[in-house]
Amino acid sequence: MENIIYGTESFEKRVEKYKPVTRDIVRNVDVCVIGSGAAGAVLAAKLAEAGKSVVLLERGGYYDGESMNQREADMIPLLWKNGGANFTSSLRIAVAQGSCLGGSTVINDAVCFRIPDLVIGQWRKKGVSITKVQWDKANAEVEKRIHVTEVTEDELNENAKMLRKACEKFRIEDKPIKHSKNKRNCGQSFTNPELNSCVKCGFCHLGCHYDTKQSMLVTYIHDALNNPKADFTPYCNCEAQEITFQNGVATGVQGAFLDVTGQEKYRIRVNAKVVIVSAGAIASSNLLQKSGIGGPNVGKGLALHPAAFVMGRFDKEINGNRGIPMSYTCHEFGITNNVENGGFLIESIFLPVFQTAVAFPTMQMEHFAIKDFNYHTMAGIMVRDEATGIISLTYSDKPKVKYNPAESTINDLARGIGILARMWFNIGATSIITPHSGVPEINTRADIPRLRDAVRNDPDNLRLGAAHPQGGNRMGKDKSQNIVDSDCRVFGFKNLYVCDASVFPTALGVNPQQTIMALATITANKIIKNWKSFPIVKESLGKTCDKTQPRFCKTQTIGEMFAVIDHNTSLFSKLGNSEGDKIIIGKNWKFDPDTLQIYNDLYWKGFYGRDPDAITNILRYFGGFYKKFWKVDNTTFKGITHPFETQFVDARSIAKEKEIPGYGKVIHLEYENFPFSNAYDVLKMVNENTIIGRAFIGRFGRGRELFNFSMSRVYDVDFMTERDLQTIFDDSKLSYVPSGREIAGLWEGMLVSDSAVTPRTQVFRFDYEDGEVDMRYSFANMLVGISDTRVTKKLFRFDDPTSFHDEIRMVTPDLIVGRWVTDWSSEDELKPFIEDFNRILPIPIAKDVGNFLDVMANTLHIRGFPLPKEAGVSFLNVEKHEKKGTRIGLSYLLKRIS
Amino acid sequence: MPTGFVGGSIKDTNGKKITNLFVQAFDSDQEWFDDRSDDILGSTWTKNDGSFEISFSEDMYKENFLERNPDVFLIVRNSLGETIHISEVRRGLNKEDVKNLTFDIVLDSVEKKVEYSNDPYAQNNQRVMAAFQGIGESVDLTNNDVARVLTLLLRTMNDWQLYAQDISRLGFDGPQVPRYPWKDGHSHELKWETDARLRSQRIIRGSMNQPNRPYMEK
């Protein structure tokens, strides 16, 4: 089996086999793993080695050691999440995480600790049933595989030796303190076998050029890729956007390949028996939230291991950047010395120069101090913090990390900074550079209490880093409080797992990579053991481009398909649509609530490409069209083409099969009436419900190509028309009035026109308590407010402060159809508003939201440009009723977020 | 009645015939007197022996009195429709040439052509800008925080400029490998390494094609 890495970047030479992605991908596999870090890589590799077909989705790119050039400006944007701009919501703490194939293990300092026994005990009390025996066995396997060994004496650099000296001299009540050399995962480089251990360049944070750091990239991932019996495919530059599921079974993952600016290039649909989320703390919670999985507890309980750095200035050269950055630790005050709650480790670390600049709140005079770069030692206080952080979802589905260190954490930081400062002074430091802006430097031991007080009393001015986010999807026995059980399986699901640091019930207290790998080892073994319990793969194309669903294709791809696909001549007789324009549910119109697809034989609905450019977007939302055909005889159909929005385009046509050199036998659509008679279409029927076509201008057979398009009788709710929505709304078998309990949650809304449903334009939140429903809305992130809700026999209604109100009905527990409408009135009264809407392409910005109708009519500042009177605006729905009169409004869909 | 014929074969670089490729023949109409819209003359799939044949008649390409004979080129697509080869344009053909055109094509791949880059850092500015653009919604600042954050940001930028200018005077050793390591020969010796054992491991790297990297794509 030849295993290949795929991605969107294209470098000519790579160590592993690599190919750029050139089109949408659909895979049907045993396992889909999201994230390639300490957990994802272990899970993917072990399951592939156990004979399962595995796809690994990784948001970041694939870079070889040879590309790692030890320069911060080059490597941080490539390897670090968000190019290093990964902050908590207050911008106070930068969270260092990797985003590349291999994850954070590519940019970490290779420090390895087993999970402390005390933590195993604490987690067991919280309902995690993994035993010490299981942890030890898994750790032993990991240690062997990534070559965990203790740092040797000659690997200690001067900075580490200074910390050791400081620890040896430090006494607490005359007793020595606990400290030791670190264990690290470094070993022989597979690309440069003459290098059999760490080269000690000091650039671990920027990726290991030499491939001696045994990151996931050069161990588990490399092994699985080159194992001829393994079926393993990593897809890089690939963001998992949604986990799809039904009735407690995850069916797969919808994702997108992104370019460097975050724009979608291609899509991927993975259908899998088992889905495992290992995207790291923060991203894993974000994915569950985006997918509507896990409920309100997702994102709670985030810990960061906040770290503060203290430098000591000495009269001799230390050259701290030379050598291994993190090779020594003082354990006295931390979990590794059985400190049960909180506590901290003091770890030797020396940051490269730019990170040093960011870590220290220097003022002008410190610039001169820091110029003695080589005369400074550095160490960090890493606190085992309380898990007070919360990850929430922003309007555009990004994660927002709210974290304020608890008082106990601040106290630990204050204590640790004070101790470390004392340690440096004890061994001869002449001054200390501190992480606190209010007390940036101290020159005597006597200033240490002032420094500690500053940290305690003014923590906002403390500069902190964090590299170990944990929690957010906690593991435990109680499903009302936690997200996953002890097997890392998501509660309520048969085949969905979350396995990474996000499941930690508390902060670990030590550098976590080895514990994450051990947990992944245990979880992989459990998955293999339970393999027969998993459901079969449910295949689906998702939203990927395919000849059977060209509505999801880019224009160029439709053209490529058009070139090589033959028209299925046996289907020509099925070109015609049902007569008339009345919807008869079950006959010429159907809705499938399982697939959320509509079958509509009133006409062929037309689609343009999914290209993200402005012109295609305008066509998508405002330029929708349909074609309707009826049979004349066995060889001929008559047809019409109409845009949805305007009636002044009325192109009558004749459809016949003809042979065109270069195209074969196709359907020629000849337009009869001027000015359309200068154009013609060539159509190819792919199946009974799908046509791809190309429009031409000029003489038949010699015309100039204009554009490619497709048409279908089957489409998803994302393409529903206002009439489709009305049909579902009005039919009691297709929709129902939800109860307050059913509607509770967060919903995203999309406006429905006849062309295509928009991206998210509004967010509704329904809270249900003791029989009462409260509703809050946010429209286009500009208008926010609350509405009064009430339930009638036919609908759920809520009234906002404007003259409009909403009427909604539920289709499935995760889908609602709704309308935001005026009350019934006479057509004359509403005519000015209808005309106004029809004349302007609106981008409304309301000044006063008191009376929305008045605002729109009189004071609304509308930016846009006037359209001809006959051209309509897609989203305005004018509804007429024989008895009730007329009303106007907008139609929308609501999809559940959580 | 066909007046033109184009045929030929498609093989890979090892001489193996490639079947199941889609060949389209066109008349190039890009001259000043042309309509700038190439005319398709015909299309076909390559057979088991890699060969193809396309016949066409005059009315497929003749637009005006200036156009006597077609300027023929081929587009080759794979089974997905992706363009994998565009041939040269054969111009100045006479009537006899047009009756018997042959294109023998050699392809190194049946996959869509991709433009390769050898600089992974080239788009880093765009990456960073995209990353910072995404921050806005995730941020929640009080007035106090804005002041502090701006101060820190300015200090950081100032620090970076200072260190970037003075880095050599800082005594910071800096990177130990060239900026483009795979292109520029370099050793894996550290500037400060005095241990003879490691010095003896000096390796000069010049390119990625090293014999001790068995998994390299050739």
Side-chain angles (χ1 to χ4, degrees):
Chain A
M1 181 107 222
E2 191 185 58
N3 296 313
I4 298 174
I5 302 173
Y6 290 89
T8 55
E9 294 170 293
S10 30
F11 307 135
E12 200 166 353
K13 298 192 186 293
R14 296 295 183 101
V15 171
E16 310 286 4
K17 288 191 173 55
Y18 174 85
K19 280 187 182 167
V21 175
T22 57
R23 60 192 303 116
D24 288 4
I25 292 171
V26 177
R27 291 291 308 270
N28 301 312
V29 290
D30 291 325
V31 184
C32 179
V33 179
I34 299 163
S36 68
V42 169
L43 284 152
K46 280 185 68 72
L47 291 167
E49 285 156 7
K52 312 300 174 203
S53 53
V54 177
V55 151
L56 176 63
L57 305 182
E58 166 55 51
R59 175 64 181 88
Y62 159 47
Y63 307 104
D64 283 334
E66 200 69 4
S67 304
M68 294 173 195
N69 68 5
Q70 302 174 347
R71 287 154 175 80
E72 286 162 303
D74 289 335
M75 299 316 304
I76 289 179
L78 284 188
L79 303 180
W80 289 43
K81 188 173 172 186
N82 290 348
N86 192 28
F87 296 100
T88 58
S89 61
S90 62
L91 289 182
R92 268 186 234 148
I93 304 178
V95 182
Q97 287 181 288
S99 179
C100 55
L101 189 64
S104 298
T105 67
V106 171
I107 64 159
N108 69 12
D109 285 298
V111 177
C112 296
F113 284 100
R114 286 196 177 197
I115 175 172
D117 290 352
L118 200 57
V119 175
I120 296 177
Q122 288 175 347
W123 286 6
R124 280 180 71 78
K125 283 183 187 153
K126 287 188 175 285
V128 176
S129 63
I130 304 173
T131 64
K132 180 159 158 49
V133 169
Q134 286 173 299
W135 281 113
D136 285 346
K137 191 174 171 200
N139 270 304
E141 182 180 323
V142 166
E143 284 162 357
K144 192 173 173 190
R145 199 131 175 198
I146 62 170
H147 198 253
V148 174
T149 51
E150 189 176 88
V151 164
T152 59
E153 186 60 29
D154 66 358
E155 285 179 323
L156 290 180
N157 68 354
E158 193 57 33
N159 189 55
K161 286 177 181 167
M162 290 295 276
L163 180 64
R164 179 169 67 180
K165 187 177 171 186
C167 291
E168 283 165 350
K169 197 156 182 186
F170 198 87
R171 288 288 187 273
I172 296 179
E173 294 174 348
D174 222 24
K175 288 186 192 136
I177 62 173
K178 194 173 167 195
H179 52 96
S180 65
K181 294 201 272 270
N182 287 345
K183 287 187 179 171
R184 302 179 76 239
N185 54 313
C186 285
Q188 188 176 34
S189 167
F190 82 94
T191 49
N192 306 281
E194 72 283 358
L195 300 172
N196 58 11
S197 61
C198 180
V199 176
K200 300 178 292 182
C201 66
F203 287 106
C204 303
H205 283 179
L206 306 180
C208 182
H209 170 78
Y210 312 95
D211 292 327
T212 49
K213 180 165 73 174
Q214 302 296 291
S215 70
M216 296 294 95
L217 181 63
V218 303
T219 55
Y220 285 87
I221 293 173
H222 170 71
D223 293 344
L225 278 169
N226 293 284
N227 181 340
K229 292 184 186 158
D231 180 352
F232 172 55
T233 315
Y235 292 100
C236 296
N237 312 108
C238 183
E239 182 182 66
Q241 294 176 326
E242 187 187 354
I243 299 166
T244 55
F245 59 95
Q246 211 169 20
N247 301 327
V249 174
T251 50
V253 182
Q254 189 74 33
F257 292 96
L258 307 179
D259 67 16
V260 296
T261 64
Q263 292 293 314
E264 177 188 293
K265 282 185 82 168
Y266 304 104
R267 293 179 181 173
I268 184 167
R269 168 74 200 171
V270 183
N271 303 304
K273 272 171 98 81
V274 175
V275 175
I276 307 174
V277 179
S278 300
I282 303 176
S284 286
S285 294
N286 178 246
L287 180 57
L288 293 189
Q289 287 168 335
K290 280 194 296 195
S291 306
I293 294 171
N297 286 328
V298 173
K300 289 186 180 159
L302 177 74
L304 292 181
H305 278 181
F309 304 95
V310 179
M311 294 178 88
R313 207 269 183 207
F314 291 84
D315 285 335
K316 64 169 187 175
E317 275 196 297
I318 309 291
N319 296 315
N321 64 287
R322 293 179 182 177
I324 294 172
M326 288 185 78
S327 56
Y328 208 85
T329 299
C330 171
H331 296 280
E332 178 66 23
F333 310 102
I335 185 77
T336 38
N337 195 28
N338 295 319
V339 171
E340 273 197 41
N341 297 309
F344 52 90
L345 302 181
I346 301 177
E347 298 185 291
S348 70
I349 183 164
F350 210 91
L351 300 172
V353 68
F354 177 61
Q355 290 167 57
T356 302
V358 172
F360 287 91
T362 53
M363 295 187 300
Q364 196 60 39
M365 64 180 193
E366 272 75 44
H367 289 169
F368 295 104
I370 207 74
K371 278 189 173 187
D372 297 331
F373 196 69
N374 289 347
Y375 287 80
H376 285 83
T377 56
M378 188 194 300
I381 292 97
M382 187 193 80
V383 175
R384 186 185 183 210
D385 54 328
E386 284 184 44
T388 56
I390 294 177
I391 304 153
S392 57
L393 208 57
T394 68
Y395 187 80
S396 55
D397 285 348
K398 297 269 183 292
K400 185 172 175 175
V401 178
K402 194 167 176 181
Y403 177 90
N404 285 313
E407 197 178 326
S408 59
T409 303
I410 298 292
N411 283 333
D412 278 331
L413 282 163
R415 192 167 156 237
I417 289 167
I419 287 170
L420 186 50
R422 191 147 61 100
M423 281 184 172
W424 293 141
F425 278 129
N426 280 356
I427 58 169
T430 56
S431 64
I432 303 291
I433 298 180
T434 85
H436 197 278
S437 304
V439 184
E441 187 183 11
I442 58 174
N443 298 308
T444 70
R445 202 190 294 270
D447 288 324
I448 291 176
R450 183 166 65 91
L451 172 60
R452 278 203 301 261
D453 287 344
V455 173
R456 284 194 182 104
N457 298 331
D458 184 19
D460 290 345
N461 270 313
L462 183 61
R463 191 90 69 98
L464 296 172
H468 310 146
Q470 305 151 74
N473 301 317
R474 285 178 295 200
M475 182 193 283
K477 207 164 60 173
D478 181 357
K479 63 183 174 192
S480 70
Q481 299 292 319
N482 300 297
I483 307 303
V484 301
D485 60 22
S486 295
D487 292 346
C488 287
R489 180 156 36 186
V490 176
F491 285 113
F493 280 82
K494 292 189 175 118
N495 63 341
L496 176 63
Y497 292 78
V498 180
C499 182
D500 55 24
S502 73
V503 306
F504 289 2
T506 70
L508 191 61
V510 295
N511 305 57
Q513 67 159 347
Q514 187 175 332
T515 303
I516 299 168
M517 294 178 210
L519 179 64
T521 302
I522 294 167
T523 306
N525 291 339
K526 284 179 181 172
I527 290 173
I528 293 165
K529 197 172 162 191
N530 291 332
W531 191 253
K532 289 192 179 142
S533 69
F534 298 120
I536 54 169
V537 177
K538 190 176 173 187
E539 292 184 13
S540 154
L541 295 172
K543 294 183 182 176
T544 57
C545 170
D546 184 82
K547 64 180 181 189
T548 59
Q549 45 182 46
R551 61 189 176 279
F552 293 122
C553 295
K554 291 186 182 176
T555 310
Q556 184 182 341
T557 313
I558 298 173
E560 287 167 356
M561 290 195 301
F562 186 86
V564 296
I565 287 174
D566 289 330
H567 160 56
N568 190 334
T569 55
S570 68
L571 296 174
F572 180 64
S573 58
K574 299 193 191 301
L575 182 66
N577 298 106
S578 72
E579 287 186 21
D581 73 342
K582 192 176 173 204
I583 286 178
I584 305 168
I585 298 174
K587 289 227 160 103
N588 62 9
W589 192 98
K590 294 174 196 164
F591 173 65
D592 185 341
D594 288 330
T595 59
L596 296 183
Q597 284 189 333
I598 294 165
Y599 167 81
N600 180 356
D601 191 30
L602 288 181
Y603 43 70
W604 290 88
K605 193 170 198 281
F607 301 97
Y608 299 100
R610 73 159 205 246
D611 312 58
D613 61 283
I615 303 254
T616 313
N617 270 317
I618 289 175
L619 288 173
R620 182 178 304 120
Y621 298 119
F622 298 101
F625 67 94
Y626 65 87
K627 293 185 193 291
K628 188 176 175 88
F629 298 100
W630 56 95
K631 195 172 179 179
V632 175
D633 56 47
N634 283 344
T635 63
T636 310
F637 284 84
K638 279 204 163 189
I640 51 154
T641 299
H642 264 309
F644 281 107
E645 303 308 329
T646 170
Q647 299 307 305
F648 76 82
V649 173
D650 178 14
R652 296 190 298 278
S653 58
I654 303 272
K656 289 188 179 191
E657 283 183 317
K658 286 181 187 165
E659 187 81 37
I660 307 180
Y663 294 99
K665 196 167 190 183
V666 294
I667 300 173
H668 170 220
L669 197 65
E670 182 186 356
Y671 290 101
E672 293 183 300
N673 49 325
F674 183 82
F676 312 108
S677 49
N678 284 333
Y680 65 94
D681 295 337
V682 172
L683 309 177
K684 293 186 177 182
M685 289 188 78
V686 175
N687 61 32
E688 206 171 299
N689 295 319
T690 309
I691 287 175
I692 48 176
R694 184 171 286 172
F696 292 82
I697 191 157
R699 183 159 60 96
F700 172 62
R702 301 291 303 275
R704 179 195 289 276
E705 294 176 14
L706 287 178
F707 56 86
N708 301 307
F709 63 92
S710 67
M711 305 195 294
S712 185
R713 281 192 267 239
V714 174
Y715 46 90
D716 320 79
V717 292
D718 291 336
F719 295 95
M720 69 168 21
T721 65
E722 288 162 30
R723 209 164 160 210
D724 290 330
L725 185 139
Q726 183 129 12
T727 305
I728 295 172
F729 194 100
D730 292 339
D731 190 281
S732 57
K733 290 190 188 126
L734 297 176
S735 64
Y736 58 94
V737 180
S739 67
R741 206 182 291 274
E742 283 170 319
I743 205 176
L746 197 63
W747 298 78
E748 61 169 348
M750 287 80 66
L751 294 181
V752 172
S753 70
D754 291 323
S755 298
V757 171
T758 65
R760 182 188 298 178
T761 51
Q762 67 257 53
V763 174
F764 291 170
R765 181 177 162 151
F766 297 93
D767 290 303
Y768 174 76
E769 198 164 329
D770 298 326
E772 286 283 326
V773 178
D774 291 316
M775 184 267 186
R776 273 169 279 176
Y777 63 83
S778 167
F779 184 77
N781 218 18
M782 293 187 298
L783 304 176
V784 293
I786 54 175
S787 289
D788 296 321
T789 64
R790 61 187 156 105
V791 177
T792 71
K793 272 189 198 160
K794 288 199 178 167
L795 47 88
F796 192 108
R797 172 177 168 138
F798 36 99
D799 291 75
D800 60 42
T802 71
S803 312
F804 287 67
H805 67 273
D806 291 84
E807 300 175 356
I808 59 171
R809 284 173 64 91
M810 195 166 243
V811 180
T812 72
D814 297 322
L815 185 70
I816 281 173
V817 287
R819 296 187 287 227
W820 184 60
V821 286
T822 59
D823 284 322
W824 293 102
S825 184
S826 73
E827 190 167 350
D828 284 340
E829 242 183 83
L830 288 171
K831 206 168 172 185
F833 304 118
I834 296 169
E835 281 185 358
D836 275 344
F837 269 109
N838 280 348
R839 286 182 61 77
I840 306 279
L841 190 71
I843 309 171
I845 299 175
K847 268 189 159 183
D848 175 1
V849 300
N851 183 329
F852 202 69
L853 202 59
D854 286 342
V855 166
M856 284 197 291
N858 300 319
T859 63
L860 196 68
H861 289 261
I862 296 179
R863 292 191 203 129
F865 53 88
L867 299 171
K869 202 172 173 186
E870 294 76 13
V873 168
S874 284
F875 301 103
L876 183 72
N877 186 17
V878 180
E879 197 183 342
K880 293 182 187 180
H881 192 278
E882 248 178 38
K883 294 176 186 165
K884 294 181 188 175
T886 304
R887 64 180 182 176
I888 59 171
L890 303 174
S891 303
Y892 57 84
L893 284 183
L894 294 181
K895 288 188 184 174
R896 187 184 288 278
I897 298 172
S898 65
Chain B
M1 169 123 185
T3 53
F5 175 88
V6 57
S9 69
I10 304 182
K11 293 177 185 165
D12 66 17
T13 48
N14 293 324
K16 190 179 164 194
K17 295 148 191 172
I18 309 178
T19 185
N20 207 35
L21 293 179
F22 194 66
V23 183
Q24 296 172 301
F26 288 89
D27 166 34
S28 171
D29 276 344
Q30 304 297 326
E31 302 294 335
W32 64 267
F33 50 80
D34 287 326
D35 63 2
R36 306 298 169 99
S37 172
D38 299 334
D39 297 316
I40 188 164
L41 301 173
S43 61
T44 189
W45 293 91
T46 55
K47 298 175 192 165
N48 285 342
D49 62 357
S51 68
F52 61 90
E53 293 170 356
I54 298 169
S55 303
F56 56 91
S57 57
E58 202 175 68
D59 60 359
M60 296 304 301
Y61 60 85
K62 207 164 170 68
E63 292 275 11
N64 53 55
F65 72 96
L66 286 170
E67 198 169 10
R68 293 200 179 158
N69 294 309
D71 298 323
V72 179
F73 71 97
L74 303 183
I75 292 179
V76 180
R77 297 176 184 266
N78 59 22
S79 57
L80 296 171
E82 293 169 331
T83 301
I84 57 175
H85 178 77
I86 301 176
S87 77
E88 78 279 14
V89 180
R90 303 257 180 100
R91 298 184 197 277
L93 301 170
N94 61 36
K95 222 171 178 175
E96 287 309 306
D97 295 330
V98 171
K99 284 182 187 172
N100 195 13
L101 283 164
T102 306
F103 286 79
D104 288 317
I105 297 168
V106 176
L107 297 177
D108 54 16
S109 168
V110 295
E111 289 176 0
K112 195 173 179 177
K113 289 266 181 274
V114 170
E115 239 182 75
Y116 285 105
S117 151
N118 267 337
D119 188 347
Y121 326 120
Q123 294 175 301
N124 273 354
N125 282 343
Q126 288 148 287
R127 281 178 222 272
V128 172
M129 280 179 58
F132 273 92
Q133 269 170 5
I135 287 181
E137 266 196 315
S138 309
V139 164
D140 198 5
L141 296 176
T142 62
N143 287 336
N144 213 2
D145 280 337
V146 170
R148 183 181 308 111
V149 163
L150 275 177
T151 311
L152 291 177
L153 193 61
L154 285 169
R155 279 181 185 164
T156 304
M157 284 163 60
N158 192 34
D159 291 344
W160 172 243
Q161 278 191 316
L162 194 77
Y163 301 139
Q165 286 160 17
D166 287 352
I167 203 164
S168 56
R169 285 203 276 146
L170 283 181
F172 177 61
D173 296 292
Q176 301 298 297
V177 298
R179 188 163 184 228
Y180 298 100
W182 61 91
K183 276 195 307 193
D184 302 328
H186 63 284
S187 79
H188 286 158
E189 191 177 85
L190 302 175
K191 287 172 192 162
W192 59 82
E193 182 55 66
T194 53
D195 187 318
R197 176 174 59 91
L198 281 172
R199 273 214 311 279
S200 71
Q201 289 169 358
R202 179 194 297 266
I203 298 285
I204 301 293
R205 315 295 309 205
S207 79
M208 293 276 283
N209 286 326
Q210 296 295 325
N212 59 350
R213 302 175 84 167
Y215 304 114
M216 277 290 299
E217 190 176 338
K218 293 202 177 100

